[in-house]
Amino acid sequence: MAAPPSAPVPRSPFYLRRPAPGPQCSWGMEERAAAGAGCREPPGPLRAAAVPCFGIFVHQDDILPGALRLIQELRPHWKPEQVQTKRFTDGITNKLVACYVEEDMRDCVLVRVYGERTELLVDRENEVRNFQLLRAHGCAPKLYCTFQNGLCYEYMRGMALGPEHIREPRLFSLSTDVPKIEVLERELAWLKEHLSQLDSPVVFCHNDLLCKNIIYDSTKGHVRFIDYEYAGYNYQAFDIGNHFNEFAGVNEVNYCRYPVRETQLQWLRYYLQAQKGMAVTSREVERLYVQVNKFALASHFFWALWALIQNQFSTIDFDFLRYAVIRFNQYFKVKPQVSALEMPK
């Protein structure tokens, strides 16, 4: 989706230049928001009701009491003693619990509690706007409410994908050194210089398409994305390169699962044909292939820095430092061959 002329500057540190004025995005949405009671309405002509905001704080280490207070507001007809809960353990930024009364979870409220100090990394008002924008176009679950340190939304039925659905797991070895600050500064300067020459278009991106954020509904035969806290305008090639990096997984990272050239070319051809609505040339596919693999370096760099920050503040039981080292190691491993890729003539 092409960025509208009034598109905001992407929040990614890898935004290098303001895009030149271009055509209206295909959604026909203009950036517009009304602030009220700490919440914002979705931008654009397809307006939805303002999201209720409750002055309730849910403790990370004892979610149930606060979650039940929210359920009393959202589902007053539910009897408290009948409410069942299920904890989800895959998230490494926030904590998530499902509340429901029917065994099939047909009507289920997800209560997501923000991780400690995640406001250093995430613009929560922007997340709500993204949530409402995507919901207005049928791309997201219902957002029921926000509260002091989280939000409640609709449970989407389906299977959250895992790396095993993409590739057969293989072993990985790991170095434990974190690059020094002067090395990181030098690499960031190199990325800005190198990537600014690729002319990747700025589009509306998810920016966090790991496997568990992709939900496949086998009954309807379609795929949807969830969790929009990092969504915003960014380079097209960054979003795709980031998705390819996520083939490796999060908890058991293995970059042997990174898609090979043939798989990427097939994927990218489908993507471009869907985007343009017509057949595309091999040159167009090759061009995007080069852009994507170069921006995949930026993805490694970004999430490695993110993990270092999370390592300092997060209370979630996850080895963020180890994850940062994994991403830095992969960045330096693939940089020589990726930087040597040339755009097709």
Side-chain angles (χ1 to χ4, degrees), residues 30-309:
E30 295 180 354
E31 287 297 318
R32 199 163 45 135
C39 297
R40 295 191 178 191
E41 295 181 4
L46 296 179
R47 301 175 68 87
V51 180
C53 301
F54 298 118
I56 295 173
F57 182 85
V58 179
H59 200 283
Q60 284 195 36
D61 299 322
D62 190 17
I63 294 177
L64 187 57
L68 289 177
R69 289 181 60 197
L70 289 165
I71 294 302
Q72 289 177 352
E73 299 285 349
L74 298 172
R75 298 291 187 272
H77 58 284
W78 287 5
K79 296 180 179 180
E81 64 274 12
Q82 295 179 341
V83 176
Q84 303 180 58
T85 60
K86 177 182 178 181
R87 289 286 296 271
F88 293 91
T89 58
D90 291 314
I92 58 175
T93 299
N94 314 291
K95 294 188 176 180
L96 185 67
V97 62
C99 299
Y100 56 97
V101 293
E102 299 175 358
E103 290 297 333
D104 61 4
M105 299 175 68
R106 187 177 304 276
D107 183 16
C108 176
V109 176
L110 294 179
V111 180
R112 189 174 75 181
V113 183
Y114 298 148
E116 187 71 23
R117 303 293 294 276
T118 52
E119 70 277 4
L120 296 173
L121 302 163
V122 177
D123 183 335
R124 293 301 181 182
E125 285 192 358
N126 190 54
E127 178 188 8
V128 172
R129 292 176 60 219
N130 290 333
F131 212 126
Q132 285 286 78
L133 169 65
L134 294 168
R135 173 60 188 172
H137 291 275
C139 301
K142 296 177 183 177
L143 179 60
Y144 294 134
C145 75
T146 64
F147 52 95
Q148 285 188 23
N149 60 325
L151 48 81
C152 297
Y153 58 97
E154 176 188 19
Y155 174 73
M156 293 179 64
R157 300 174 67 87
M159 177 180 65
L161 299 185
E164 67 275 12
H165 300 121
I166 304 173
R167 289 292 161 79
E168 180 180 353
R170 296 174 64 183
L171 297 177
F172 185 82
S173 42
L174 171 69
S175 172
T176 56
D177 294 329
V178 174
K180 294 182 180 180
I181 186 66
E182 54 268 24
V183 174
L184 298 181
E185 290 174 346
R186 184 172 67 245
E187 292 302 318
L188 181 59
W190 181 86
L191 282 168
K192 288 182 177 181
E193 174 65 23
H194 195 74
L195 300 183
S196 64
Q197 303 174 30
L198 299 179
D199 294 325
S200 178
V202 173
V203 300
F204 189 79
C205 297
H206 186 282
N207 290 319
D208 192 21
L209 279 180
L210 50 84
C211 295
K212 296 300 182 183
N213 283 342
I214 305 173
I215 302 298
Y216 173 61
D217 186 339
S218 59
T219 62
K220 297 181 180 179
H222 62 56
V223 170
R224 289 184 178 176
F225 303 148
I226 60 173
D227 288 355
Y228 319 109
E229 56 189 342
Y230 295 101
Y233 287 98
N234 202 346
Y235 294 104
Q236 177 191 60
F238 177 91
D239 212 19
I240 300 173
N242 183 72
H243 174 59
F244 285 171
N245 282 338
E246 296 295 352
F247 278 42
V250 176
N251 293 300
E252 297 296 332
V253 183
N254 188 340
Y255 283 103
C256 292
R257 303 187 189 111
Y258 187 82
V260 297
R261 174 183 165 83
E262 291 73 20
T263 301
Q264 288 193 49
L265 292 177
Q266 182 184 39
W267 195 103
L268 295 172
R269 182 175 294 276
Y270 288 146
Y271 175 90
L272 286 173
Q273 288 178 169
Q275 181 188 36
K276 296 190 172 187
M278 63 180 70
V280 295
T281 65
S282 296
R283 182 182 179 277
E284 290 177 290
V285 178
E286 287 281 351
R287 179 181 176 85
L288 184 55
Y289 170 81
V290 173
Q291 292 172 331
V292 163
N293 283 273
K294 289 179 181 288
F295 268 94
L297 290 174
S299 164
H300 286 307
F301 200 83
F302 174 79
W303 290 111
L305 295 178
W306 168 89
L308 290 179
I309 296 173

